[in-house]
Amino acid sequence: MGETSSSQTVSTKIERIAKLAKQAPTMVLTTLAHHIDVEWLTEAYRRTRKDGATGEDGQTAEQYAQELERNLENLLDRAKSGTYRAPPVRRVHIPKGNGETRPLGIPTFEDKVLQRAVAMVLEAVYEQDFLDCSYGFRPGRSAHDALTELRDATMTMGGGWVLEVDIKKFFDTIDHGHLRSMLGRRVGDGTLLRLIGKWLNAGVTEAGVLSHPDSGTPQGGVISPILANIFLHEVLDTWFERDVRARLKGPAVLVRYADDFVILFEKEDDARRVMAVLPERFGKYGLTLHPEKTRLVEFKRPSSQPPQGGRGDDPGTFDLLGFTHYWDKSQNGYWVVKLKTAKGRFSRALKRVADWCRSHRHLPVRQQWESLTKKLRGHYQYFGVIGNGAALRRFRYETYGVWRCWLNRRSQRARMTWQKMRVLHAHYPLLPPPATLRPLRA
């Protein structure tokens, strides 16, 4: 059976699961794993990233594909019979740019495929339950969609009070007991629940040492985003819609992308009341809010005073998904909400460029230029929105600076002066950011 036909068969099964889940929103679904067969695993394999870092066993996607059908049949047999053993994830630490690091768990490639297969089932079920306020790791939704929703709501409301919330080490502190309880209200299939339980208990290897945390789900695991969404769907989304909104005196908008979220309130009193109860609500489920990074921001549309949002550290600004939000005048003289690259995200992105230039400085110049061009194109793809041109031009300039710095260290005799860099620029022009600017939602 061809790849297209196989994908269509799996799509039909997904639609069947979704239809059942939608028709019975309170039913515990007990027969889900039987949908997972070799075709389903083949589709899961197709959707799994092939160029990611290898897990604990060192096996690459290319090696796994050499006997793909046999490997998938064997994987299916172990998953269905209960003999599958979830391998521990390999933990690495990614710098965050503020002196801290973010732990990232890397499963084996085979584990990624099976996690993807189970995630496809859970997605079909929970997409019928999830609310419109959540955007992270959901089909047909993006970070830009979340930013657009928040900006449009702010403009419509004329601003208000923004509750900016930070959950401390969210992925590391998800309580397994609460998560299993939440899953059990919708998923009763023993095969799927056993597999999820194995992943939660698989353990983590770091510097050759194996540990078994009693909470958390590895950030970087394929199954982790859907589990995180299920957790916060109950802890935050449904609670806000069901219990909080009816008690507010004015309108409010919740926008969440994974564990990043803000709540916009029209009235200060509403904002302060919710801010007061949030720590207790999250603490009930084993989560802690960061006391310094959780804050209330007055974000009202200015009247006649000059714009206060020109600098990211001014009062009246807040950050979400790598952007600083601030009020400024449009070309027509109207107050609008604008977005620019947040300071922390700018610094982290530039540091990644500098680290790459340092470790690859001896590559041929053309090869370096090609790689840097791809990195800049990726940066522009996300941050190239209308109003952010200055930050993009600065990022391009700083990229040239760090590139010149590390080219200059290739040789003590052949210094890379700015004059030589301008000659190099003539042969290898990097992308001009202004040409990439576009609305958040086209």
Side-chain angles (χ1 to χ4, degrees):
M1 184 177 289
E3 181 177 302
T4 302
S5 177
S6 178
S7 295
Q8 290 175 345
T9 301
V10 173
S11 295
T12 300
K13 291 181 178 180
I14 290 175
E15 291 174 3
R16 194 177 302 140
I17 296 171
K19 183 178 179 180
L20 176 61
K22 187 173 184 178
Q23 290 175 342
T26 60
M27 178 185 292
V28 178
L29 305 177
T30 57
T31 56
L32 293 170
H34 75 278
H35 292 287
I36 300 179
D37 53 17
V38 172
E39 280 187 328
W40 189 284
L41 287 179
T42 302
E43 177 64 15
Y45 165 82
R46 189 186 68 80
R47 297 186 186 188
T48 301
R49 180 180 171 182
K50 309 300 190 297
D51 60 348
T54 59
E56 188 66 19
D57 62 357
Q59 187 179 49
T60 64
E62 183 179 0
Q63 292 169 338
Y64 193 81
Q66 290 176 0
E67 295 186 56
L68 181 60
E69 186 173 353
R70 178 181 175 184
N71 285 335
L72 293 181
E73 289 176 350
N74 181 267
L75 176 60
L76 178 65
D77 179 66
R78 285 178 285 139
K80 291 292 185 70
S81 65
T83 60
Y84 181 79
R85 296 184 63 185
V89 299
R90 181 171 65 89
R91 174 173 286 172
V92 297
H93 290 269
I94 307 299
K96 296 175 64 174
N98 57 358
E100 300 179 359
T101 61
R102 174 180 288 109
L104 187 68
I106 304 174
T108 65
F109 182 77
E110 181 177 68
D111 207 41
K112 291 177 184 178
V113 173
L114 187 55
Q115 286 190 31
R116 176 66 63 194
V118 173
M120 287 161 56
V121 178
L122 295 180
E123 182 181 281
V125 173
Y126 282 97
E127 272 302 306
Q128 317 314 311
D129 300 347
F130 288 157
L131 304 182
D132 289 341
C133 61
S134 69
Y135 290 85
F137 307 107
R138 294 183 59 188
R141 291 176 161 239
S142 68
H144 280 194
D145 291 330
L147 293 166
T148 300
E149 172 65 24
L150 180 60
R151 185 200 60 192
D152 291 350
T154 306
M155 295 283 291
T156 300
M157 198 181 294
W161 295 82
V162 174
L163 181 54
E164 187 179 0
V165 183
D166 183 271
I167 308 173
K168 291 181 65 175
K169 298 182 178 180
F170 169 68
F171 281 90
D172 292 338
T173 56
I174 292 178
D175 183 273
H176 291 175
H178 286 301
L179 178 58
R180 288 190 177 94
S181 178
M182 294 172 188
L183 283 167
R185 296 185 191 117
R186 202 68 168 108
V187 177
D189 188 293
T191 298
L192 296 188
L193 293 177
R194 278 193 299 272
L195 285 172
I196 293 171
K198 288 179 179 181
W199 287 318
L200 293 177
N201 297 322
V204 174
T205 60
E206 186 172 358
V209 178
L210 175 64
S211 62
H212 292 273
D214 56 6
S215 63
T217 177
Q219 192 169 359
V222 175
I223 198 72
S224 295
I226 184 71
L227 296 181
N229 270 338
I230 292 169
F231 201 83
L232 286 177
H233 170 71
E234 179 161 334
V235 174
L236 177 64
D237 302 352
T238 57
W239 170 74
F240 184 80
E241 291 297 326
R242 181 188 64 229
D243 300 331
V244 175
R245 191 180 294 280
R247 293 177 170 84
L248 301 179
K249 298 176 182 178
V253 176
L254 166 66
V255 175
R256 180 176 68 81
Y257 189 95
D259 60 323
D260 291 329
F261 71 94
V262 300
I263 310 176
L264 170 67
F265 299 88
E266 182 184 61
K267 298 186 178 298
E268 179 183 4
D269 184 54
D270 286 340
R272 294 197 179 279
R273 286 166 55 208
V274 173
M275 185 178 184
V277 300
L278 267 183
E280 181 181 354
R281 173 66 183 180
F282 278 74
K284 178 181 176 182
Y285 294 91
L287 300 176
T288 304
L289 301 187
H290 200 295
E292 297 174 358
K293 297 180 181 179
T294 298
R295 65 193 187 107
L296 189 60
V297 179
E298 185 177 7
F299 195 71
K300 294 182 178 179
R301 178 189 289 139
S303 52
S304 59
Q305 67 266 38
Q308 298 295 313
R311 296 181 301 275
D313 56 353
D314 284 341
T317 70
F318 66 93
D319 291 352
L320 180 68
L321 298 176
F323 285 95
T324 295
H325 299 63
Y326 64 99
W327 287 99
D328 201 357
K329 287 286 187 72
S330 68
Q331 292 182 347
N332 297 325
Y334 298 105
W335 287 105
V336 296
V337 175
K338 291 187 177 181
L339 280 68
K340 65 179 180 178
T341 311
K343 285 184 176 180
R345 184 65 68 88
F346 187 100
S347 299
R348 291 197 297 272
L350 189 61
K351 185 178 185 304
R352 284 195 296 269
V353 170
D355 290 343
W356 187 92
C357 290
R358 173 178 54 80
S359 58
H360 295 82
R361 63 184 182 273
H362 295 301
L363 291 178
V365 172
R366 169 164 286 278
Q367 191 172 341
Q368 292 188 46
W369 169 77
E370 290 173 348
S371 294
L372 288 173
T373 298
K374 291 179 181 178
K375 293 179 184 301
L376 280 173
R377 184 178 289 118
H379 187 85
Y380 300 156
Q381 181 65 30
Y382 185 75
F383 289 103
V385 300
I386 291 176
N388 198 31
L392 296 184
R393 288 189 291 272
R394 181 178 163 229
F395 188 78
R396 179 173 179 263
Y397 174 81
E398 297 285 355
T399 296
Y400 265 117
V402 297
W403 190 25
R404 186 193 74 85
C405 173
W406 288 107
L407 286 177
N408 198 36
R409 299 192 183 189
R410 282 158 60 105
S411 171
Q412 293 293 328
R413 291 175 294 181
R415 291 290 184 181
M416 178 58 70
T417 64
W418 276 111
Q419 182 178 3
K420 290 182 179 180
M421 201 67 184
R422 284 191 287 271
V423 174
L424 192 67
H425 184 192
H427 290 87
Y428 305 110
L430 294 178
L431 300 177
T436 69
L437 299 185
R438 64 195 185 283
L440 269 173
R441 180 182 290 160

